[in-house]
């Protein structure tokens, strides 16, 4: 959709208009800037005043060309643009609903001085203009940006005034000339693009520049005919005697599931980036056979159970049969998607060869990889410590990915100044940490994890200065931690001091009006103050109007401005550096702090709403075609993880992959993994199995998304890959589609034969023309290389080597507009576009919607863990975490996201897997009944069958043996350990008898009564005992979720005692029934053993309420049962036997 641009270099800000005003042109951007001088005086002016007169609407289409002469040397536009970008990075942007977007120039962001030229608050020398106390802007190396050859030092504001006054330098009194400061631009020898025609937006201009790479003639540089290009751009194919010749005479039909022999591909000029590794047939074939055998045995067993009731205890038999039928159904839903497990591998050398090597299309060997925007979300600095978030940010900034292609966004949904200053401290420390990691190839690149490694840190380190560098960086990191830990007290003391000063000022103003009357204490709202002596626009320590967690303005601060396009190597003459960084790239990626606007009366949709705000803001500021989202406690453990994920996205057929999911790995888990926190059965068994279908589910973190898939578009070639359910039986005439490949790549609907109505995009995405213009750019940049005839919807090599656009104030102002609380009104954000709202497990729903549109996903398991994080090892926290997941699953089952309502584009077994996601919490109802059956059997003296005959025992033995053999084979092809499998089984019963049941009740209450479910944030902080790494494991915090498992344990223990006593002292002992009941009771107790152990704490310190509740309930049940059903021939409680 072409956007209307009312200024040549400015995009229109979003305006919240009604449909009657939709045809009116949007107002030009209005940004109010304010700068606070050291004397306390505020200087305010409009952003429009910063534009020269030639940028006005009246003269936008009037051009006068004056040839350059010795007297007329045009000023280098890159200088003014760099000054603008530096100014933007030093400004704190705020705004929102019914408020003016303001840019507050920050004198300093943190108490200490900014240590990196890219960091917010970095300043150069003092301005030479008399009466000006501002600082000269600096470039990437920290050198002053001086627009004139006379090197007259002038700040940005004075420079703008001088340009508006005629472009005369205040120093030499000569017109500004090209100062020749941008040596990188000169070395590039790239001609400047022609001025864009009026009405073209910046995004459209960038897209045209990238596509201009495709206009090369079909002639190689030697002048010969380019056969490869002819193959790419025509319908030509490889034939006999050419480079590629397959066994069937063609390369294949281009489907994603085609697997070519790797040995053949290695001998061909084109090499794939990934390979699909099949599970050995010696393991997979018996595994599938056992599944079929167990299905048959379960069917025969259930048929036998139904046909052989226990007439002595029909109620016991009936309950057991119903539970067993459900368990068989649940097992089938869980097992069927595991029929096709796969493993995958990547080739990073091929990725480097294709995208970062010197080629005719890329003569300088610049990175041709697409950009990645990394999202980190945090909400509460008390439950999510800022030091943990800061370490995650540092691991992202140090990732092994092209610096100019990487951007990091942190979402502070609490709007806390503590998080803001912690992120600023992290940006400052990155100046030391990131070059150190690059110089010595440090792994992992999380400083906290690296300095706490148990292994030898000097292994494989060969540089002689490594020991000295490590010692210095370690000392700096210790000081960094102390500063982070001291931020709460520092902010509080600073705010108290400024508040006292404000009270004194107010009293002085009040005194002249009160002659001799006693002065009353002046009450001033106690604000939270930033380091530069101004009010924090977010949440105050003492919440006030427009400054609370649910009521504050939107905030954007560019912590680290975008890096230069060319590498910036350290100099041996730089004595300001802590360590020697000669020939080390010292650039840092773009780093932005974002806190979306929150106002009362708006549903902000928790984490999903925060992620969608980041999607929109990043689309305007960096527009990376791929998005990686991480929780604040999940850091990059493998610095090349981003490259591993990009191998799948850039490979043949990668344009149909919506996301690459990485497994979650955890640190700080107790060695025995008491509560199955590692969850290896899910991440190494279930997810690998789903990878052989349509792809793994999205699990909320560690996921690399394709941006246009998040936008709700259909995958390319949707009709080719999903012709319909009945296409195999009834052939359809294939319609000829003349729509261009570019338009077919952006589809939102079921028909590929109709052009997409671009006028509907504002109703889907909102009325930000800048955001809408960024969509085709992101789609084009995310395409794989068109370096093979089988690659469809590709882009030419070298298209992404062009430099990025510089950041200006109107861009950030537009980003402020799209994170406002009203922007999503009457749009499809949260319904079809972005993260989906309406569930506490928005991650599963978001992934389901993509699979439902026909997208595929991929599971990327790397040799070195890609990401690592923390998990709650405390029993209460773990149960609440499982409760949240299960509640989300119940919501999914009762919503339109139920897999029973999936579209034909979703594969059958994938649909079964999603159906199991919504159904598994309901197993808790039958599981709790089944756990009480052994106790009821022992109390009553009956069993679920009439007698323990050979048929029943044979069925039971076969079912048990096949289950064990399936477990052994799963362990074989997944690589997990038997102990991990057993821990998973134990916690399945613990969670099923506690959290899952509560989730079913909560879900039913929400569906039937409309009672909203409260969301509990999982704590990322550890226990108070600093001497014990696992102190949190032994903390017992009472929760009502513990009542059902405790009752089950006590009831079964008492039932075993009652059963033994009854059998021993009865006239005719029924040993078979006793053995059956005791066996199943021990089966229940063995599964609940970790739960019982967790209740004991470290030294048996269990809350008294635990014993009181469990004892009362167990005794009441026991006495009530004996009273209702006493032994035969007895009418007294206790029957005919007595204890000795």
């Amino acid at each position: 959709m072409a956007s209307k641009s009312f200024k040549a270099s400015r995009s229109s800000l979003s305006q919240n208009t009604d449909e009657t005003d939709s045809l009116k042109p949007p107002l030009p951007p209005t940004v109010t800037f304010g700068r606070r001088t050291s004397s306390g005086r505020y200087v305010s002016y409009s952003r429009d005043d910063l534009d020269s007169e030639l940028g006005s609407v009246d003269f936008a289409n009037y051009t006068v060309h004056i040839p350059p002469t010795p007297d007329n040397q045009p000023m280098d536009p890159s200088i003014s643009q760099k000054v603008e970008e530096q100014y933007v990075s030093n400004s704190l942007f705020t705004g929102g609903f019914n408020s003016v977007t303001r840019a507050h120039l920050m004198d300093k962001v943190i108490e200490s001085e900014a240590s990196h030229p890219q960091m917010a608050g970095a300043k150069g020398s003092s301005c030479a203009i008399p009466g000006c106390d501002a600082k000269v802007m600096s470039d990437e190396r920290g050198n002053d940006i001086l627009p004139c050859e006379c090197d007259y030092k002038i700040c940005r504001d004075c420079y703008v005034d001088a340009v508006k006054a005629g472009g005369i330098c205040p120093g030499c009194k000569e017109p500004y000339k090209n100062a020749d400061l941008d040596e990188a631009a000169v070395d590039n020898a790239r001609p400047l693009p022609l001025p864009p025609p009026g009405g073209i937006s910046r995004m459209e201009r960038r897209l045209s520049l990238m596509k201009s790479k495709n206009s090369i003639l079909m002639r190689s540089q030697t002048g010969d005919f380019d056969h490869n290009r002819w193959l790419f751009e025509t319908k030509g194919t490889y034939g006999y005697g050419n480079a590629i010749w397959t066994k069937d005479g063609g390369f294949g039909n281009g489907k994603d599931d085609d697997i070519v022999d790797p040995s053949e591909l290695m001998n061909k000029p084109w090499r794939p980036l990934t390979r699909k590794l099949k599970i050995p047939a010696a393991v997979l074939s018996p595994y599938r056979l056992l599944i079929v055998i167990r299905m048959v045995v379960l069917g025969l067993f259930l048929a036998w159970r139904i046909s052989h009731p226990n007439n002595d205890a029909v109620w016991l038999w009936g309950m057991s049969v119903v539970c067993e039928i459900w368990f068989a159904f649940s097992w089938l839903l869980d097992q069927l998607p595991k029929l096709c497990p796969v493993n995958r591998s990547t080739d990073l050398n091929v990725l480097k060869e294709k995208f970062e090597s010197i080629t005719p299309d890329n003569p300088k060997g610049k990175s041709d990889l697409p950009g990645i925007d990394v999202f980190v979300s945090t909400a509460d600095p008390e439950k999510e410590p800022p030091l943990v978030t800061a370490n995650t940010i540092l691991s992202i900034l140090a990732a092994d990915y092209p610096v100019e292609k990487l951007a990091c966004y942190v979402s502070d949904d609490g709007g806390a100044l503590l998080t803001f200053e912690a992120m600023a401290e992290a940006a400052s420390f990155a100046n030391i940490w990131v070059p150190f990691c690059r110089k010595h190839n440090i792994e992992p690149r999380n400083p906290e994890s690296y300095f706490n490694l148990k292994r030898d840190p000097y292994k494989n380190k060969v540089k002689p200065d490594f020991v000295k560098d490590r010692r210095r960086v370690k000392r700096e990191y210790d000081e960094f931690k102390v500063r982070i830990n001291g931020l709460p007290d520092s902010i509080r003391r600073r705010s108290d001091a400024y508040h006292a000063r404000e009270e004194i000022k107010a009293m002085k103003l009040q005194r002249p009006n009160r002659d001799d009357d006693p002065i009353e204490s002046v009450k001033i709202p106690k604000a939270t103050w930033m380091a530069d002596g101004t009010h924090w626009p977010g949440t105050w320590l003492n919440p006030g109007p427009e400054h609370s967690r649910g009521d504050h303005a939107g905030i954007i601060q560019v912590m680290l401005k975008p890096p230069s396009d060319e590498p910036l190597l350290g100099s041996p003459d730089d004595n300001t550096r802590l360590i020697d960084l000669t020939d080390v790239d010292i650039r840092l990626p773009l780093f932005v702090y974002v806190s979306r606007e929150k106002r009362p009366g708006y549903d902000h949709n928790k984490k999903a709403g925060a992620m969608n705000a980041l999607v929109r803001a990043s689309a305007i500021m960096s527009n990376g075609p791929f998005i990686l989202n991480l929780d604040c406690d999940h850091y990059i453990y493998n610095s090349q993880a981003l490259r591993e994920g990009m191998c799948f996205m850039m490979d043949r057929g990668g344009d149909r992959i919506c996301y690459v999911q990485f497994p979650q790995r955890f640190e700080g888990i107790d060695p025995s993994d008491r509560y199955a926190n590692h969850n290896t059965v899910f991440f190494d068994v279930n997810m690998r199995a789903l990878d052989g279908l349509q792809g793994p589910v999205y699990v909320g973190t560690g996921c690399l998304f394709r941006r246009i898939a998040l936008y709700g578009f259909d995958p390319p070639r949707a009709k080719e890959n999903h012709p319909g359910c009945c296409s195999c039986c009834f052939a359809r005439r294939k319609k000829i589609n003349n729509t261009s490949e570019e338009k077919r790549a952006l589809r939102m609907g079921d028909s590929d034969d109709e052009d997409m109505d671009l006028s509907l995009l504002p109703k889907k995405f909102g009325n930000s023309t800048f955001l809408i213009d960024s969509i085709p750019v992101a789609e084009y940049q995310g395409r794989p290389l068109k370096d093979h005839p089988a690659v469809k919807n590709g882009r030419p090599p070298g298209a992404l080597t062009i430099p990025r656009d510089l950041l200006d104030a109107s861009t950030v102002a537009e980003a402020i507009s799209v994170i406002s609380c009203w922007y999503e009104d009457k749009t499809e954000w949260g319904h079809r576009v972005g993260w989906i709202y309406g569930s506490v497990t928005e991650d599963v729903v978001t992934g389901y919607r993509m699979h439902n549109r026909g997208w595929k996903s991929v599971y990327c398991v790397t040799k070195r863990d890609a990401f690592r994080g923390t998990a709650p090892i405390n029993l209460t926290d773990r149960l609440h975490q499982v409760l949240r997941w299960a509640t989300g699953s119940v919501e999914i089952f009762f919503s339109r996201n139920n897999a029973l309502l999936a579209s034909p584009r979703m594969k059958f077994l994938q649909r079964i897997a999603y159906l199991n996601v919504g159904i598994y919490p309901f197993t808790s109802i039958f599981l709790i009944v089944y756990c009480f059956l052994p106790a009821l059997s022992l109390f009553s003296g009956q069993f679920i069958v009439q007698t323990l005959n050979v048929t029943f025992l044979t069925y039971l033995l076969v079912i048990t043996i096949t289950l064990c053999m399936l477990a052994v084979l799963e362990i074989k092809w997944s690589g997990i350990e038997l102990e991990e499998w057993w821990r998973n089984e134990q916690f399945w019963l613990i969670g099923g008898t506690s959290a899952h049941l509560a989730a079913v009740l909560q879900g039913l209450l929400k569906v039937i009564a409309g009672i909203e479910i409260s969301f509990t944030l999982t704590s990322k902080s550890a226990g108070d005992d600093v001497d014990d790494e696992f102190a949190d494991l032994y903390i017992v915090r009472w929760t009502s979720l513990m009542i059902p498992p405790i009752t089950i344990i006590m009831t079964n223990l008492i039932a075993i005692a009652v059963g033994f006593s009854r059998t021993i002292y009865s006239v005719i002992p029924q040993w078979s029934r006793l053995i059956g009941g005791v066996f199943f009771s021990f089966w229940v107790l063995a599964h609940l053993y970790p739960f019982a152990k967790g209740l004991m704490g470290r030294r048996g310190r269990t809350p008294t309420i635990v014993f009181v509740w469990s004892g009362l309930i167990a005794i009441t049940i026991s006495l009530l049962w004996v009273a209702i059903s006493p032994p035969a021939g007895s009418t007294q409680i206790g029957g005919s036997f007595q204890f000795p």
Side-chain angles (χ1 to χ4, degrees):
M1 177 178 177
S3 66
K4 287 189 176 182
S5 180
F6 292 88
K7 291 201 175 182
S9 62
R10 306 296 179 207
S11 66
S12 61
L13 281 180
S14 303
Q15 304 293 330
N16 189 16
T17 58
D18 299 330
E19 290 198 15
T20 56
D21 299 332
S22 60
L23 299 178
K24 296 181 180 180
L27 298 175
T30 301
V31 186
T32 299
F33 284 77
R35 182 170 62 85
R36 186 178 187 274
T37 63
S38 59
S39 60
R41 182 173 58 90
Y42 284 90
V43 179
S44 299
Y45 43 89
S46 171
R47 181 64 186 84
D48 293 335
D49 296 337
L50 303 181
D51 294 326
S52 63
E53 289 79 357
L54 291 177
S56 63
V57 181
D58 298 335
F59 302 98
N61 298 322
Y62 186 77
T63 306
V64 177
H65 292 281
I66 302 178
T69 63
D71 295 330
N72 175 40
Q73 290 291 330
M75 184 176 57
D76 186 1
S78 64
I79 297 178
S80 59
Q81 293 172 356
K82 287 186 176 181
V83 171
E84 169 78 2
E85 186 175 63
Q86 182 74 15
Y87 184 79
V88 168
S89 66
N90 283 342
S91 299
L92 179 74
F93 285 76
T94 61
F97 181 62
N98 283 339
S99 61
V100 179
T101 301
R102 300 181 182 276
H104 169 67
L105 184 62
M106 301 282 287
D107 291 336
K108 59 178 180 178
V109 180
I110 52 178
E111 297 290 347
S112 57
E113 289 293 331
S115 56
H116 194 278
Q118 285 181 241
M119 185 180 171
K123 296 181 286 291
S125 307
S126 299
C127 179
I129 298 293
C132 180
D133 56 357
K135 299 293 184 179
V136 177
M137 297 300 172
S138 56
D139 61 7
E140 294 84 358
R141 289 189 178 274
N143 300 322
D144 294 339
I145 298 179
L146 305 177
C148 186
E149 292 179 343
C150 69
D151 292 343
Y152 184 80
K153 296 182 178 180
I154 185 171
C155 68
R156 190 258 191 191
D157 299 332
C158 297
Y159 168 71
V160 171
D161 292 338
V163 171
K164 293 176 65 176
I168 304 298
C169 174
C172 62
K173 308 303 180 183
E174 295 290 335
Y176 279 116
K177 300 178 181 179
N178 187 358
D180 198 21
L181 293 177
D182 193 8
E183 298 177 1
V186 176
D187 294 338
N188 287 342
R190 183 183 289 109
L192 293 175
L194 293 175
I200 186 172
S201 67
R202 191 172 71 173
M203 284 294 179
E204 290 173 323
R205 184 170 68 252
R206 181 167 183 81
L207 184 61
S208 65
L209 284 174
M210 290 186 295
K211 290 186 175 181
S212 64
K213 291 279 184 177
N214 201 18
S215 61
I216 308 172
L217 297 177
M218 289 187 187
R219 294 279 171 183
S220 63
Q221 293 192 353
T222 60
D224 298 328
F225 182 78
D226 193 338
H227 184 71
N228 288 333
R229 189 165 189 82
W230 173 77
L231 287 168
F232 294 159
E233 299 188 351
T234 65
K235 295 184 179 179
T237 58
Y238 286 92
Y240 182 78
N242 285 304
I244 296 183
W245 176 256
T246 54
K247 297 177 181 178
D248 57 356
F251 193 79
N253 57 8
K255 291 187 178 179
D256 301 336
D257 295 331
D258 292 348
I259 301 175
V260 185
D261 188 3
S263 61
E264 294 180 4
L265 289 176
M266 295 303 293
N267 298 324
K268 300 169 185 177
W270 182 85
R271 296 166 61 191
L273 295 170
T274 63
R275 288 187 300 157
K276 184 186 293 186
L277 307 177
K278 290 186 175 181
I279 305 296
V283 176
L284 191 58
S285 297
Y287 181 73
R288 292 171 173 171
L289 180 62
L290 279 173
I291 292 176
V292 175
I293 292 174
R294 195 164 194 268
M295 288 171 56
V296 174
V297 173
L298 280 175
L300 295 175
F301 172 70
L302 293 175
W304 180 86
R305 289 279 282 121
I306 295 173
S307 60
H308 292 76
N310 183 2
N311 296 320
D312 295 336
V314 177
W315 56 273
L316 196 63
W317 166 82
M319 287 192 297
S320 63
V321 168
V322 170
C323 292
E324 288 163 2
I325 291 175
W326 179 267
F327 292 153
F329 172 68
S330 178
W331 175 84
L332 198 62
L333 291 182
D334 181 67
Q335 202 67 46
L336 283 179
K338 297 180 182 178
L339 291 173
C340 307
V342 297
N343 291 320
R344 299 182 188 271
S345 66
T346 59
D347 195 333
L348 296 181
N349 293 327
V350 176
L351 184 75
K352 185 175 182 64
E353 176 186 328
K354 286 190 175 185
F355 291 90
E356 297 179 320
S357 300
I358 298 177
T359 62
D361 297 300
N362 188 9
K364 291 196 172 184
K366 295 180 65 176
S367 176
D368 198 23
L369 287 169
I372 298 179
D373 294 338
V374 185
F375 295 170
V376 179
S377 58
T378 181
D380 189 346
E382 294 183 1
K383 292 187 176 181
E384 299 168 330
L387 183 60
V388 175
T389 308
N391 274 276
T392 300
I393 297 299
L394 289 169
S395 70
I396 295 170
L397 298 179
D400 183 10
Y401 201 77
V403 184
E404 67 277 10
K405 302 297 181 69
L406 187 63
C408 178
Y409 295 82
V410 59
S411 169
D412 178 19
D413 223 27
L417 180 59
L418 174 58
T419 305
F420 176 84
E421 295 199 359
M423 296 304 99
E425 290 284 358
S428 178
F429 180 69
N431 182 38
I432 303 170
W433 174 251
V434 174
F436 169 71
C437 293
R438 292 172 182 162
K439 178 180 179 181
H440 296 289
N441 195 24
I442 299 299
E443 294 286 353
R445 299 190 176 181
N446 175 326
E448 183 69 22
S449 299
Y450 172 71
F451 290 121
N452 289 330
L453 286 176
K454 300 294 190 292
R455 56 181 173 82
D456 182 14
Y458 307 107
K459 185 178 181 180
N460 299 327
K461 303 301 180 186
V462 296
K463 292 188 177 181
D465 57 350
F466 172 71
V467 177
K468 179 181 64 176
D469 291 351
R470 186 180 185 275
R471 189 182 302 117
R472 290 180 175 178
V473 175
K474 177 65 167 62
R475 185 182 68 248
E476 289 293 326
Y477 177 66
D478 291 338
E479 295 178 359
F480 165 74
K481 286 201 297 184
V482 172
R483 289 196 302 270
I484 294 288
N485 294 332
L487 279 177
D489 291 336
S490 174
I491 294 172
R492 190 174 294 105
R493 287 196 305 267
R494 179 204 309 152
S495 299
D496 290 342
Y498 278 113
H499 180 68
R501 189 192 67 177
E502 293 298 314
E503 284 186 335
I504 293 174
K505 285 184 178 180
M507 291 176 64
K508 289 181 178 179
L509 293 175
Q510 188 182 24
R511 183 171 300 170
N513 301 328
R514 302 289 186 93
D515 300 330
D516 295 331
D517 296 338
I519 301 176
E520 298 179 0
S521 59
V522 181
K523 293 184 179 180
I524 298 177
K526 195 171 184 180
T528 300
W529 295 73
M530 293 188 290
D532 68 337
T534 56
H535 285 182
W536 169 241
T539 304
W540 288 353
L541 297 177
N542 297 305
E546 298 187 354
H547 292 284
S548 62
R549 289 181 59 88
D551 183 13
H552 62 80
I555 307 170
I556 292 181
Q557 171 70 62
V558 180
M559 293 291 185
L560 292 171
K561 71 175 184 178
S564 59
D565 189 51
E566 296 290 337
L568 196 63
L569 304 181
S571 172
D573 301 329
D574 190 357
N575 297 324
T576 61
R577 295 282 177 178
L578 184 69
I579 59 178
D580 182 18
L581 298 177
T582 304
D583 297 331
V584 177
D585 193 354
I586 61 174
R587 295 177 300 166
L588 299 176
L590 171 66
F591 177 34
V592 183
Y593 170 91
V594 179
S595 181
R596 59 179 173 145
E597 183 191 18
K598 287 189 172 182
R599 298 299 180 194
Y602 285 87
D603 185 2
H604 301 293
N605 296 296
K606 303 182 179 68
K607 180 182 175 181
M611 300 303 293
N612 284 338
L614 285 186
V615 171
R616 296 190 296 271
S618 64
I620 289 172
M621 298 184 68
S622 55
N623 198 32
F626 297 99
I627 294 172
L628 172 69
N629 87 289
L630 297 173
D631 287 344
C632 65
D633 62 328
H634 270 72
Y635 68 92
I636 297 180
Y637 187 75
N638 181 355
S639 63
Q640 293 191 322
L642 304 184
R643 293 178 178 270
E644 299 254 11
M646 201 53 63
C647 285
F648 293 100
M649 293 295 192
M650 293 291 103
D651 205 8
R652 181 170 66 97
D655 59 332
R656 292 184 46 78
I657 296 176
C658 56
Y659 61 81
V660 176
Q661 177 66 62
F662 294 86
Q664 291 186 23
R665 307 301 186 197
F666 301 102
E667 295 178 333
I669 306 297
D670 55 298
S672 63
D673 193 13
R674 180 185 294 176
Y675 306 123
N677 290 100
H678 284 299
N679 214 358
T680 50
V681 173
F682 175 76
F683 287 113
D684 290 325
V685 178
N686 297 68
M687 296 288 271
R688 288 177 192 263
L690 290 176
D691 198 17
L693 304 177
Q694 203 169 335
V697 298
Y698 167 43
V699 296
T701 183
C703 189
L704 181 66
F705 283 98
R706 183 178 298 275
R707 184 180 285 270
I708 63 165
L710 274 175
Y711 284 160
F713 290 101
D714 295 337
R717 308 178 301 282
K719 289 295 181 181
E720 295 179 25
N721 291 272
H722 303 279
C725 299
C726 304
S727 60
C728 57
C729 303
F730 302 99
R732 295 188 307 178
R733 177 182 293 180
K734 186 174 181 180
K735 296 181 181 180
I736 300 176
N737 193 345
N738 296 322
T739 309
S740 65
E741 186 178 50
E742 177 185 347
K743 290 184 178 181
R744 291 199 304 268
L746 291 175
R747 287 287 178 188
M748 269 192 182
D750 299 327
S751 175
D752 274 348
D753 302 327
E754 298 178 2
D755 289 340
M756 184 174 178
D757 189 358
L758 300 181
S759 63
L760 297 177
L761 288 182
K763 294 183 179 180
K764 297 177 182 293
F765 297 95
N767 52 4
S768 171
T769 55
F770 206 120
L771 175 62
I772 294 173
D773 290 342
S774 71
I775 294 174
V777 178
E779 186 279 326
Y780 186 81
Q781 291 179 336
R783 297 181 182 181
L785 283 186
K786 197 171 184 180
D787 59 348
H788 189 274
V791 176
K792 298 183 179 180
N793 193 37
R795 61 173 174 85
L800 302 186
T801 57
I802 61 175
R804 61 168 183 85
D805 292 325
L806 295 175
L807 203 60
D808 60 6
S810 62
T811 300
V812 186
E814 182 77 4
I816 283 285
S817 175
V818 299
I819 66 170
S820 60
C821 58
W822 54 265
Y823 186 81
E824 294 183 354
D825 289 350
K826 299 179 181 179
T827 68
E828 293 192 5
W829 284 99
H831 304 285
R832 181 187 175 98
V833 179
W835 270 259
I836 306 301
Y837 302 153
S839 173
V840 295
T841 52
E842 72 286 335
D843 45 7
V844 177
V845 178
T846 303
Y848 166 81
R849 289 290 186 89
M850 295 181 185
H851 285 143
N852 201 34
R853 288 192 289 269
W855 289 96
K856 291 185 61 178
S857 60
V858 168
Y859 197 52
C860 181
V861 182
T862 56
K863 289 185 178 180
R864 178 183 177 87
D865 294 343
F867 309 100
R868 283 193 177 180
T870 59
I873 61 175
N874 177 263
L875 176 60
T876 305
D877 291 339
R878 176 71 165 135
L879 290 178
H880 280 289
Q881 183 186 55
V882 174
L883 172 63
R884 188 172 71 250
W885 295 343
T887 304
S889 295
V890 175
E891 292 175 347
I892 291 172
F893 181 78
F894 288 111
S895 70
R896 56 178 295 191
N897 300 308
N898 191 316
L900 294 174
L901 306 176
S903 72
R905 294 184 179 183
M906 182 176 289
K907 294 184 178 180
F908 175 74
L909 291 181
Q910 188 80 15
R911 187 184 305 226
I912 295 295
Y914 274 113
L915 183 62
N916 186 43
V917 169
I919 282 181
Y920 82 88
F922 294 95
T923 305
S924 61
I925 300 173
F926 305 92
L927 188 60
I928 286 184
V929 173
Y930 211 73
C931 287
F932 277 112
L933 285 182
L936 297 176
S937 175
L938 291 171
F939 283 140
S940 63
Q942 302 295 331
F943 195 52
I944 57 177
V945 293
Q946 190 79 30
T947 58
L948 291 177
N949 54 22
V950 177
T951 305
F952 175 77
L953 293 177
T954 302
Y955 275 125
L956 193 63
L957 182 63
V958 173
I959 291 172
T960 305
I961 290 177
T962 53
L963 178 64
C964 294
M965 294 179 67
L966 283 173
V968 170
L969 290 176
E970 281 185 359
I971 290 170
K972 186 71 175 177
W973 63 255
S974 65
I976 66 174
E977 298 178 359
L978 181 61
E979 183 182 5
E980 294 173 329
W981 180 86
W982 171 238
R983 289 296 185 211
N984 181 79
E985 292 295 308
Q986 286 180 314
F987 197 79
W988 169 75
L989 193 140
I990 294 172
T993 55
S994 57
H996 294 177
L997 180 63
V1000 173
L1001 296 177
Q1002 286 189 1
L1004 292 175
L1005 285 175
K1006 182 178 181 180
V1007 173
I1008 298 173
I1011 300 176
E1012 190 63 33
I1013 302 163
S1014 60
F1015 172 75
T1016 303
L1017 187 65
T1018 305
S1019 176
K1020 273 75 175 179
S1021 58
D1024 297 331
D1025 191 350
V1026 295
D1027 297 328
D1028 190 350
E1029 183 181 359
F1030 309 114
D1032 211 33
L1033 178 69
Y1034 308 107
I1035 299 175
V1036 181
R1037 292 190 288 267
W1038 173 254
T1039 173
S1040 57
L1041 297 177
M1042 297 178 178
I1043 294 177
I1046 291 174
T1047 306
I1048 291 173
I1049 292 175
M1050 299 301 296
T1051 304
N1052 278 275
L1053 289 175
I1054 294 173
I1056 292 174
V1058 171
F1060 265 110
S1061 301
R1062 171 178 284 132
T1063 304
I1064 292 173
Y1065 292 100
S1066 61
V1067 179
I1068 303 177
Q1070 298 289 334
W1071 290 104
S1072 62
R1073 295 178 179 176
L1074 174 67
I1075 292 174
V1078 170
F1079 173 79
F1080 282 108
S1081 287
F1082 273 117
W1083 176 85
V1084 173
L1085 294 174
H1087 281 75
L1088 290 174
Y1089 172 73
F1091 176 84
K1093 191 175 180 180
L1095 289 180
M1096 296 299 102
R1098 188 193 302 272
R1099 290 180 293 272
R1101 296 175 297 180
T1102 308
T1104 308
I1105 185 90
V1106 173
F1107 296 107
V1108 173
W1109 271 96
S1110 58
L1112 287 175
I1113 294 175
I1115 292 172
T1116 303
I1117 292 176
S1118 302
L1119 293 177
L1120 183 63
W1121 183 257
V1122 174
I1124 294 174
S1125 180
S1130 176
T1131 58
Q1132 59 181 354
I1133 296 178
S1136 60
F1137 68 94
Q1138 59 183 5
F1139 290 99

